Amino acid sequence: MGQWTPMEGDYAALRNGLDARDLVRSINEIVLPALEAALPPIDSAQITFDPEQFHVPQTVLATMRESLVIALGSTFEKAFRSWLYDCAFHADGEQGNRAIRAEPWDSLKRRFASVRGFDFADLPGARDLDCLVLLGNALRHGAGKSVARLFQEFPQFFADDPPGSMAYFVETDPELLDFHLKIITADLDRLGRAAVDFWDFVAERGEDVVWFRGADTRARNG
């Protein structure tokens, strides 16, 4: 077994914050400008409905924005689960913490309060993080419970669908939802920065968290 050396400070949160900041910067400064330059908007008069010519670049750009939301949400949630597992492991050991790998988002937030001592809802950007995770689930899985919940909590993302029709299917059969989401560049920036702010906030308040360097992790992970 390796040497266990105590270290004070939440270094995992600090690293996750740096990673999240790099991802947001890359999206804002490289990916989106390149996409917008490659897919300039076109005048509606130029649109043809000839099957061999019909193409609207904005549709491609919208799809790419959705993909970037999925990337932001998946990256944050994966890091959050791993970090929360480590927090719980150092506090309570292995027992009961394996469930963190598969628990739903709301359960993870309750675990966060138990291992760090303050409610997730009190964090800066907590609502945006809820939105980020829920948007990612809705985009990955399509019509279903995640879309229904997204419509109930964040209806501003829905475009082109009659509100009455959406509300009907949310209440009756979410599996039949037909929806279109509208995600703009400002949404990507806000949601990405919420992830950065979360990790910064947690890292700054990690002075009482004790981590260990040089430990043999095989027993812990196996």
Side-chain angles (χ1 to χ4, degrees):
M1 179 175 292
Q3 295 296 316
W4 287 72
T5 304
M7 297 175 59
E8 292 187 357
D10 196 335
Y11 292 93
L14 179 62
R15 183 193 64 240
N16 288 337
L18 294 172
D19 290 345
R21 186 172 281 102
D22 285 343
L23 179 58
V24 171
R25 185 186 300 115
S26 297
I27 289 174
N28 287 340
E29 297 181 9
I30 301 173
V31 178
L32 285 176
L35 286 172
E36 290 167 359
L39 300 167
I42 62 174
D43 186 271
S44 59
Q46 297 176 269
I47 298 177
T48 172
F49 288 92
D50 182 335
E52 295 184 357
Q53 302 180 37
F54 180 62
H55 175 63
V56 181
Q58 291 94 319
T59 302
V60 178
L61 189 56
T63 301
M64 292 302 299
R65 287 197 186 102
E66 291 180 355
S67 299
L68 291 171
V69 167
I70 293 173
L72 284 170
S74 297
T75 300
F76 172 76
E77 188 175 348
K78 179 182 178 181
F80 182 75
R81 286 182 188 274
S82 178
W83 170 85
L84 188 62
Y85 179 92
D86 286 341
C87 287
F89 176 83
H90 286 295
D92 304 317
E94 183 70 34
Q95 187 175 4
N97 293 323
R98 288 184 181 275
I100 289 174
R101 303 297 192 192
E103 279 184 339
W105 177 243
D106 289 339
S107 296
L108 293 179
K109 292 192 293 181
R110 288 191 291 270
R111 279 189 182 266
F112 172 84
S114 69
V115 300
R116 289 307 300 269
F118 42 89
D119 289 338
F120 186 91
D122 294 335
L123 298 173
R127 190 62 175 157
D128 283 333
L129 292 176
D130 283 338
C131 179
L132 177 60
V133 172
L134 196 54
L135 260 177
N137 288 339
L139 289 168
R140 281 196 302 270
H141 303 302
K145 293 181 180 179
S146 292
V147 176
R149 184 172 175 182
L150 182 67
F151 177 74
Q152 291 170 328
E153 297 190 24
F154 303 99
Q156 68 270 24
F157 289 102
F158 288 79
D160 303 327
D161 294 304
S165 174
M166 285 294 300
Y168 171 78
F169 284 115
V170 163
E171 294 296 330
T172 57
D173 192 347
E175 298 299 329
L176 297 179
L177 283 169
D178 183 18
F179 66 98
H180 302 282
L181 298 181
K182 182 179 181 181
I183 300 168
I184 61 176
T185 299
D187 294 325
L188 279 168
D189 184 63
R190 187 185 75 258
L191 296 174
R193 292 186 185 281
V196 174
D197 291 344
F198 169 83
W199 291 120
D200 287 350
F201 183 91
V202 172
E204 289 171 2
R205 288 155 181 78
E207 62 273 6
D208 296 327
V209 178
V210 179
W211 299 92
F212 297 90
R213 174 180 291 165
D216 185 341
T217 59
R218 286 175 297 180
R220 170 178 148 187
N221 294 332

